[in-house]
């Protein structure tokens, strides 16, 4: 039956693909198509008409998505003209040629980094549409065994979202993978690189609102020169408080406003740029020649070199461009940048340069000084709204990347709220929101000057770019399998630009550049210590698993009093019986009639489809009534969103029981195939890091079967006669037993494992484990809240172990 279904599906798929290709290849003119449509409708004309309509709709959809991407993706990059020239020339402009040289650097920076590197190369490295450093890391985890928590299993690779490419073992990609997997230190270094990039993105979430809103608010003082700077700072702080206070509503309700605001902003700055070029000095367009870039760096000396830190701000928001990629196709993002963003930014910077050539004393707040008086206040309002949208984009990106860090076990458990029913990636994290607000206000009120905030901002941006470059090298080798010469060219060009900027921002560490370093160091310490504690807990559970021989020795009733009800034992293990079980029954010799070991497992994929989420298997003989359920999630999924998680678990458990009973009567074992995940020959394999039970895992009986609980039962061939009748009776009996136990009550048993450093441990380890990790466990959310477990049916089992 499977073969027939597969054959029919392939025929349908081939037919649909043929129809699509036929429609796209017949690209006649609209007149020719209309002529054909007016003729008597035959099959060919119908296909042509449908193809034309689909093509027209797809173009309109692409344009709409490109328009919407402006508000989400390009807000941060678009507000850079507010503060770039001031941060480039904080001590004033000495020569008009310096302005032209700075403009030339801005033009080529925008061309090389956002346009060529990110929009046309890095954005292609998305994980099913997801962007950011964790998306790159997830791609690498699927193509190489570099995950620091060894819970990988071959059944995970059969997920529809677990896309990966296989390569020849003698290829350069295979050698690169072997080099990465050979030593755990290389895996840890790769994770550390990802965490550093993540911490810098969090720093962006603090610095972007500060510099954008403060620079936009500075327009008040331009029109009223005698106004105190304290009022400007106060206005910025009020706007920031309002911005962070509204985060819990999410961007879904007001997101439709973002794209029009940002589009209006780009058109305004582009129009003002054209006006200034025409009015003041069109000769600044000679900056498109790289000769002026060379002269600027040659004649500028140390001051010219350090001014690169200000020019770097012209490409800030580029990393947010990649991190916020989630809801838009790459083609839409590329279209929006090349048609709207890139030309308008070039015009805006060229217009400011033309104004500064003739008004060198107005470099402070150069953007506002270059606005014509007749439209000053409308532009000020649009600039403020654009700054708010830009801040919103980076704050949302921060929430998203922390959610991904949670899924990888690299961040303490915090409350995550989905703010949109339509978009999975829109989340709100209350604890992080208020931390960001306090730090953002502290930076704004503490520095009171966009120049010093800009120095800090540049440091964070260039470090994120460097982290992305190193990850992209591995992506090109392992995922794309590019020739090493192409990888070398990409690496050389990227590092040439980014290391140049990095050397420039090092001169400004003492002028505000230390801020993101301190913030990143604090978050990095939290992430590293938390991940270390999670790895040690997992290793402890792996090494202290209960052997199946011990379980079987307990007898049919496990040597215990089996009380009515179902016990859900939560564990991080996807194989074997956890030590929490033996610890529990040793101290309390009674267990529920049905025991289900529940493992909530996060995979390096952006999402796990609902129908593929659960894996169910039996542990030991049927008389034990012991099962394991592995619930798999992606880094964009939210476990607590499954409010009916318990209902889904029992539904899948019931399907498994029916399926297992029907399997006993199978006459043709070769026909047993479920989504290609398991065959009858692999039924004795377990979730044991890819090894067979007989080779590795002595904790589970050989009769263990791992099957997707939602597998279609019609795919099985059931044997005739009494075997089918007997299996049906067994199925009914066990299902009735499960239902009766569920009616008696469900108890959620959670392990409360506490780790402590050994007495002979080093001082650093004692501080990290006994103080920092213990403090983080104390203030973070409990497992029961994350798992959405009712308090009245919760049972905590405590354990202490030393590392």
């Amino acid at each position: 039956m499977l073969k027939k279904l597969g054959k029919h599906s392939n025929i349908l798929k081939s037919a649909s693909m043929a129809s699509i290709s036929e429609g796209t290849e017949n690209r006649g003119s609209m007149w020719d198509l209309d002529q054909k449509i007016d003729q008597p409708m035959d099959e060919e004309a119908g296909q042509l008409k449908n193809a034309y309509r689909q093509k027209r709709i797809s173009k309109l959809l692409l344009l709409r998505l490109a328009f919407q991407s402006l508000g989400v993706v390009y807000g941060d990059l678009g507000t850079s003209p507010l503060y770039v020239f001031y941060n480039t020339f904080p001590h004033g402009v000495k020569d008009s040629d310096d302005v032209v040289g700075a403009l030339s650097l801005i033009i080529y920076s925008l061309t090389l980094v956002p346009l060529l590197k990110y929009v046309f190369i890095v954005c292609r490295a998305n994980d099913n549409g997801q962007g950011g450093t964790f998306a790159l890391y997830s791609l690498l985890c699927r193509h190489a065994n570099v995950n620091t928590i060894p819970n990988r299993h071959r059944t995970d690779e059969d997920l529809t979202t677990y896309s990966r490419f296989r390569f020849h073992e003698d290829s350069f990609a295979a050698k690169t993978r072997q080099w990465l997997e050979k030593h755990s230190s290389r895996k840890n270094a790769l994770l550390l690189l990802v965490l550093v990039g993540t911490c810098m993105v969090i720093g962006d979430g603090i610095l972007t609102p500060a510099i954008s809103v403060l620079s936009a608010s500075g327009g008040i003082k331009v029109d009223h020169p005698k106004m105190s700077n304290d009022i400007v700072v106060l206005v910025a702080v009020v706007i920031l408080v309002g911005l962070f206070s509204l985060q819990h509503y999410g961007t879904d309700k007001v997101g439709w406003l973002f794209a029009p605001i940002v589009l209006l902003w780009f058109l305004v700055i582009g129009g003002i740029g054209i006006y200034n070029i025409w009015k003041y000095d069109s000769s600044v367009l000679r900056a498109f020649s790289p000769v002026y870039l060379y002269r600027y760096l040659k004649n500028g000396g140390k001051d010219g070199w350090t001014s690169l830190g200000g020019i770097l701000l012209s490409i800030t928001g580029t990393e947010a461009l990649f991190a916020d990629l989630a809801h838009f196709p790459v083609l839409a993002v590329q279209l929006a940048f090349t048609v709207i963003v890139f030309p308008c930014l070039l015009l805006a910077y060229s217009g400011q340069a033309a104004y500064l050539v003739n008004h060198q004393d107005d470099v402070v707040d150069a953007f506002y000084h270059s606005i014509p008086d007749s439209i000053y206040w409308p532009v000020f309002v649009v600039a403020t709204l654009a700054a708010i949208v830009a801040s919103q984009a980076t704050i949302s990106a921060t929430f998203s990347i922390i959610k991904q860090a949670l899924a990888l076990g690299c961040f303490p458990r915090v409350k995550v709220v989905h703010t949109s029913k339509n978009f999975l990636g829109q989340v709100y994290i209350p604890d992080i929101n208020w931390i960001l607000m306090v730090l953002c206000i502290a930076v704004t009120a503490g520095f009171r000057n966009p120049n010093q905030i800009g120095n800090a901002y540049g440091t964070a941006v260039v470090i994120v770019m460097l982290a992305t470059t190193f990850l992209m090298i591995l992506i090109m080798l392992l995922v794309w399998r590019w020739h090493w010469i192409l990888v070398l060219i990409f690496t050389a060009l990227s590092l040439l630009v980014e290391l140049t900027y990095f050397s420039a921002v090092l001169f400004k560490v003492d002028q505000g550049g230390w801020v993101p370093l301190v913030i990143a160091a604090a978050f990095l310490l939290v992430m590293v210590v938390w991940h270390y504690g999670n790895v040690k807990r997992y290793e402890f559970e792996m090494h202290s698993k209960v052997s199946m021989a011990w379980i079987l020795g307990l007898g049919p009733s496990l040597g215990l009093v089996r009380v009515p009800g179902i016990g859900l034992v939560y564990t991080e293990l996807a194989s074997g019986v956890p030590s929490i079980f033996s610890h529990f029954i040793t101290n309390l010799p009674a267990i529920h009639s049905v025991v289900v070991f529940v493992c909530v497992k996060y995979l390096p994929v952006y999402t796990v489809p609902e129908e593929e989420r659960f894996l169910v298997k039996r542990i030991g003989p049927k008389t034990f009534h012991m099962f394991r359920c592995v619930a798999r999630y992606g880094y964009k999924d939210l476990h607590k969103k499954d409010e009916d998680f318990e209902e889904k678990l029992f539904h899948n458990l019931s399907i498994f029981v029916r399926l297992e009973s029907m399997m006993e009567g199978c006459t043709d074992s070769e026909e047993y195939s479920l989504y290609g995940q398991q065959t009858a020959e692999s039924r004795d394999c377990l979730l044991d890091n890819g090894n067979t039970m007989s080779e590795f895992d002595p904790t589970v009986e050989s009769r263990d079967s791992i099957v997707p609980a939602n597998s279609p039962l019609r795919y099985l061939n059931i044997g005739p006669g009494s075997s089918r009748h007997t299996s049906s009776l067994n199925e009914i009996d066990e299902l009735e037993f499960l239902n009766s136990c569920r009616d008696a009550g469900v108890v959620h048993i959670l392990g409360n494992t506490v780790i402590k450093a050994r007495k002979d441990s080093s001082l650093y380890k004692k501080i990290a484990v006994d103080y920092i990790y213990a403090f983080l466990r104390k203030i973070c959310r409990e497992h029961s809240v994350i798992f959405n477990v009712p308090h009245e049916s919760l049972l905590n089992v405590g354990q202490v172990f030393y590392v």
Side-chain angles (χ1 to χ4, degrees):
M1 185 178 293
L2 265 179
K3 294 177 181 177
K4 292 179 181 179
L5 288 172
K7 183 178 180 181
H8 290 313
S9 64
N10 289 333
I11 292 173
L12 290 172
K13 185 177 181 180
S14 301
S16 62
M17 292 301 293
S19 175
I20 293 172
S21 61
E22 185 177 355
T24 53
E25 288 174 3
N26 289 280
R27 297 181 179 177
S29 66
M30 188 181 297
W31 184 86
D32 293 331
L33 186 58
D34 291 337
Q35 289 290 94
K36 287 192 174 186
I37 292 173
D38 290 336
Q39 294 173 0
M41 182 66 68
D42 57 8
E43 184 177 356
E44 182 180 0
Q47 289 178 353
L48 285 171
K49 184 176 181 180
N50 291 333
Y52 169 69
R53 287 176 176 172
Q54 289 293 332
K55 186 177 179 181
R56 184 174 60 183
I57 292 173
S58 63
K59 284 185 177 179
L60 291 175
L61 179 61
L62 181 64
L63 290 174
R64 192 186 75 180
L65 291 173
F67 167 69
Q68 291 176 344
S69 70
L70 290 172
V72 176
V73 176
Y74 293 114
D76 190 9
L77 188 64
T79 54
S80 297
L82 287 169
Y83 43 78
V84 168
F85 276 108
Y86 173 41
N87 283 272
T88 303
F89 303 106
H91 305 297
V93 178
K94 299 178 182 178
D95 188 353
S96 60
D97 287 342
D98 291 342
V99 177
V100 178
L103 176 60
S104 183
L105 275 167
I106 291 171
I107 291 171
Y108 283 97
S109 296
L110 285 171
T111 304
L112 291 175
V113 180
L115 180 64
L116 296 181
K117 178 185 175 182
Y118 275 85
V119 172
F120 286 105
I121 296 179
V122 176
C123 283
R124 292 182 59 241
N126 61 84
D127 181 17
N128 290 281
Q130 308 297 318
T133 51
F134 272 109
L136 298 178
Y137 184 67
S138 298
L139 280 173
L140 293 175
C141 286
R142 296 206 295 271
H143 289 81
N145 189 16
V146 293
N147 201 333
T148 52
I149 297 181
N151 61 351
R152 183 174 178 175
H153 187 259
R154 67 182 183 283
T155 54
D156 301 332
E157 300 176 9
D158 296 313
L159 290 170
T160 54
T161 53
Y162 201 99
S163 57
R164 65 195 296 262
F165 303 100
R166 301 186 183 277
F167 34 77
H168 196 272
E169 291 300 324
D170 296 329
S171 64
F172 190 75
K175 294 177 181 178
T176 305
R177 183 186 65 183
Q178 293 170 5
W179 179 82
L180 268 178
E181 296 175 349
K182 191 171 183 180
H183 297 291
S184 59
S185 59
R186 293 167 188 169
K187 300 179 183 179
N188 293 330
L190 179 62
L191 178 63
L192 186 63
L193 177 66
V194 174
L195 294 182
V196 168
T198 301
C199 293
M200 288 299 170
V201 172
I202 296 173
D204 283 353
I206 296 169
L207 297 172
T208 299
I211 191 171
S212 299
V213 174
L214 185 60
S215 299
S217 303
I220 303 175
K221 193 175 180 181
V222 172
D223 195 62
H224 299 80
K226 296 182 179 180
M227 181 181 293
S228 172
N229 192 51
D230 294 339
I231 297 178
V232 176
V233 174
L234 180 62
V235 171
V237 169
V238 170
I239 293 175
L240 290 172
V241 171
L243 175 65
F244 282 99
S245 299
L246 296 175
Q247 288 299 312
H248 68 280
Y249 291 109
T251 59
D252 193 32
K253 295 182 179 64
V254 295
W256 60 274
L257 281 173
F258 290 174
I261 290 172
V262 176
L263 177 61
L264 179 61
W265 167 251
F266 279 119
L267 294 178
V268 165
I269 63 175
I272 293 174
I274 294 174
Y275 171 80
N276 287 332
I277 294 171
W278 170 76
K279 182 178 180 180
Y280 295 108
D281 191 354
S282 61
S283 66
V284 295
L285 296 179
R286 66 185 187 272
F288 281 86
S289 170
V291 174
Y292 293 92
L293 182 155
Y294 171 73
R295 290 178 181 174
Y296 179 81
L297 293 177
K298 181 182 177 181
N299 301 328
K302 182 180 177 182
D303 291 338
W305 193 262
T306 55
S307 68
L308 291 175
I311 293 170
L312 171 64
L313 299 181
S314 64
I315 55 177
T316 55
T318 306
E319 194 64 35
L321 177 158
F322 181 47
D324 286 325
L325 191 65
H327 306 302
F328 304 100
V330 174
L331 186 58
V333 173
Q334 293 172 340
L335 182 65
F337 187 83
T338 52
V339 174
I340 301 293
V341 179
F342 188 61
C344 289
L345 286 176
L346 293 183
L347 290 171
Y349 288 117
S350 299
Q352 283 190 49
Y355 177 84
L356 286 175
V357 166
N358 294 276
H359 304 82
Q360 297 180 12
D361 295 334
D362 291 341
V363 68
V364 180
D365 293 318
F367 171 78
Y368 283 113
H369 284 295
S370 66
I371 299 174
D373 294 337
S374 58
I375 60 170
Y376 181 84
W377 286 109
V379 174
F380 170 77
V381 173
V382 175
T384 304
L385 293 175
I388 293 173
V389 172
S391 303
Q392 177 63 54
T394 54
I395 294 169
S396 299
T398 304
F399 292 156
S400 179
I401 204 165
I402 288 178
K403 169 66 181 70
Q404 296 176 24
L406 274 170
L408 283 178
C410 297
F411 203 85
R413 297 183 299 271
V414 290
K415 182 180 181 181
V416 179
V417 180
H418 275 270
T419 59
S420 173
K421 296 180 180 179
N422 301 320
F423 300 107
L424 185 63
Q426 291 188 5
V427 295
Y428 166 68
I429 305 177
D431 302 330
I432 300 300
N433 181 67
W434 303 124
I435 291 174
L436 292 180
M437 186 187 76
V438 171
L439 292 176
C440 188
I441 292 175
V443 169
T444 305
F447 286 118
R448 307 164 62 86
N449 188 338
N451 181 32
Q452 287 189 317
I453 301 177
N455 295 337
Y457 196 13
T459 305
V461 168
V462 72
I463 292 177
V464 175
M465 289 182 177
L466 285 170
T468 301
T469 297
F470 290 125
L471 290 173
M472 281 300 301
I473 294 172
L474 295 176
I475 292 292
M476 291 175 175
L477 292 173
L478 292 178
V479 182
W480 293 349
R481 291 168 289 174
W482 279 13
H483 195 278
W484 65 270
I485 295 179
L486 294 175
V487 179
L488 184 62
I489 294 173
F490 170 84
T491 306
L493 290 176
S494 298
L495 293 182
L496 176 65
V497 175
E498 291 160 9
L499 289 179
T500 301
Y501 279 125
F502 183 68
S503 64
V505 299
L506 288 179
F507 288 102
K508 298 190 175 183
V509 170
D510 60 337
Q511 302 173 29
W514 56 270
V515 173
L517 299 179
V518 171
I519 294 173
F523 278 97
L524 184 63
L525 178 65
V526 169
M527 289 184 174
V528 169
V529 170
W530 186 261
H531 183 71
Y532 175 80
N534 284 344
V535 170
K536 290 302 178 182
R537 287 178 57 197
Y538 185 83
E539 290 177 353
F540 170 77
E541 295 222 15
M542 282 292 294
H543 289 99
S544 59
K545 289 188 295 187
V546 180
S547 67
M548 181 51 66
W550 185 79
I551 295 291
L552 294 174
L554 298 176
S557 64
L558 300 180
L560 305 168
V561 177
R562 303 298 294 268
V563 297
I566 296 179
L568 301 181
V569 182
Y570 289 82
T571 174
E572 296 182 6
L573 296 180
S575 66
V577 178
S579 60
I580 181 181
F581 180 73
S582 63
H583 186 70
F584 176 77
I585 63 177
T586 300
N587 292 276
L588 183 64
I591 196 65
H592 299 86
S593 300
V594 176
V595 177
V596 182
F597 296 102
V598 181
C599 172
V600 176
K601 179 180 178 183
Y602 282 91
L603 304 178
V605 296
Y606 74 102
T607 187
V608 176
E610 189 69 36
E611 62 274 10
E612 301 178 55
R613 176 149 295 161
F614 292 92
L615 289 176
V616 181
K617 64 181 179 181
R618 186 185 295 276
I619 298 179
K622 283 189 173 182
T623 54
F624 281 14
H625 299 298
M626 294 174 65
F627 303 89
R628 172 170 290 106
C629 177
V630 179
R632 303 177 294 183
Y633 291 84
Y635 55 79
K636 283 288 183 181
D637 294 327
L638 185 63
H639 173 65
K640 195 181 177 183
K641 194 178 180 183
D642 284 339
E643 297 177 354
D644 53 347
F645 176 79
E646 184 180 312
E647 184 68 33
K648 293 177 182 177
L649 188 150
F650 287 117
H651 173 70
N652 285 274
L653 188 61
S654 300
I655 291 179
F656 170 80
V657 171
R658 295 194 189 99
L659 180 62
E660 188 184 44
S661 299
M662 298 173 75
M663 282 167 55
E664 294 176 356
C666 288
T667 56
D668 187 357
S669 61
E670 294 299 324
E671 285 292 312
Y672 171 52
S673 178
L674 306 172
Y675 297 136
Q677 291 192 8
Q678 294 291 322
T679 62
E681 295 177 351
S682 64
R683 285 175 57 193
D684 59 339
C685 296
L686 305 175
L687 290 170
D688 55 8
N689 300 312
N691 298 303
T692 59
M693 182 218 61
S694 58
E695 295 174 349
F696 179 76
D697 193 354
T699 62
V700 194
E701 192 188 11
S702 62
R703 293 183 62 259
D704 261 10
S705 56
I706 312 170
V707 295
N710 287 340
S711 302
L713 303 181
R714 63 180 181 276
Y715 285 1
L716 297 173
N717 287 342
I718 307 302
S722 60
S723 62
R724 180 173 180 177
H725 179 68
T726 303
S727 66
S728 298
L729 289 177
N730 293 335
E731 168 198 335
I732 294 173
D733 291 342
E734 187 159 20
L735 285 177
E736 289 182 352
F737 179 73
L738 288 174
N739 290 328
S740 64
C741 291
R742 186 182 177 187
D743 293 338
V746 178
V747 176
H748 300 260
I749 304 172
L750 270 67
N752 188 16
T753 306
V754 178
I755 65 171
K756 292 186 177 180
R758 294 190 181 96
K759 293 182 179 180
D760 57 346
S761 299
S762 63
L763 178 62
Y764 298 110
K765 189 174 182 179
K766 289 181 179 179
I767 293 175
V769 175
D770 292 344
Y771 294 97
I772 300 178
Y773 184 76
F775 174 75
L776 292 175
R777 275 185 58 86
K778 186 176 181 180
I779 64 173
C780 74
R781 293 170 67 83
E782 297 180 356
H783 270 300
S784 58
V785 179
I786 300 298
F787 291 145
N788 203 25
V789 175
H791 182 72
E792 59 274 8
S793 59
L794 172 65
L795 180 62
N796 271 311
V797 180
Q799 280 183 300
V800 179
F801 71 95
Y802 294 87
V803 296

